[in-house]
Amino acid sequence: MEDIIYELENFEKNISRDSLFLNIQDVFPHERVMENRLDGLLLYINSLSPHIIIPSILVTSENVIIDGHHRYHALKQLGFEKIPVHRIDYNNKKIITHNEKSKAVSKNIIIENALTNRLMKPKSTMHHIEINNNFYPI
């Protein structure tokens, strides 16, 4: 178990690029969201007001969202102009787009769909880190 923890910590250091606030219009989703989950998240975020703390949205170097679509849409609906993001090295081969190989989508297609506003179905991707045939959420 300690080997896995060490490998995950090392991996995190290798893929992590920077954490920052970006203009919301400069961030690109690649999936649609489930409305009931979005509604629940909006209620939750509103309950935190005026001190809203949520996890950063994970993005690629092109600012394509790989994790945090519901957070992005909730913040957009609430009128936020800047959102917290954490940029990662999406080219790393250990980052996979789905933990079921038959459902995997090319990273290039994900980025292209986001940048051309051709949104995929909700939860089309499930980005994970693959280490020794084990899958860990990013």
Side-chain angles (χ1 to χ4, degrees), residues 42-99:
L42 284 164
L43 287 171
Y44 171 71
I45 291 172
N46 279 323
S47 76
L48 299 174
S49 188
H51 305 288
I52 299 170
I53 299 173
I54 61 168
S56 296
I57 295 166
L58 292 181
V59 298
T60 68
S61 59
E62 299 86 0
N63 297 333
V64 171
I65 298 170
I66 65 163
D67 183 65
H69 287 86
H70 289 89
R71 282 171 274 156
Y72 164 85
H73 284 285
L75 294 173
K76 191 171 186 177
Q77 280 190 26
L78 293 169
F80 282 75
E81 294 178 13
K82 291 195 176 275
I83 58 173
V85 301
H86 186 82
R87 210 176 268 144
I88 64 167
D89 176 9
Y90 193 50
N91 294 321
N92 190 298
K93 293 184 186 318
K94 290 188 181 200
I95 298 175
I96 60 170
T97 61
H98 207 288
N99 58 353

Side-chain angles (χ1 to χ4, degrees), residues 10-53:
N10 240 4
F11 181 77
E12 182 181 353
K13 290 176 191 167
N14 290 332
I15 68 162
S16 184
R17 293 295 174 249
D18 51 4
S19 292
L20 61 156
F21 283 86
L22 288 178
N23 290 325
I24 200 161
Q25 71 268 14
D26 295 335
V27 177
F28 308 99
H30 74 272
E31 294 178 338
R32 294 186 302 274
V33 294
M34 294 182 275
E35 291 301 321
N36 60 335
R37 288 186 72 173
L38 178 58
D39 292 343
L41 183 56
L42 284 164
L43 287 171
Y44 171 71
I45 291 172
N46 279 323
S47 76
L48 299 174
S49 188
H51 305 288
I52 299 170
I53 299 173

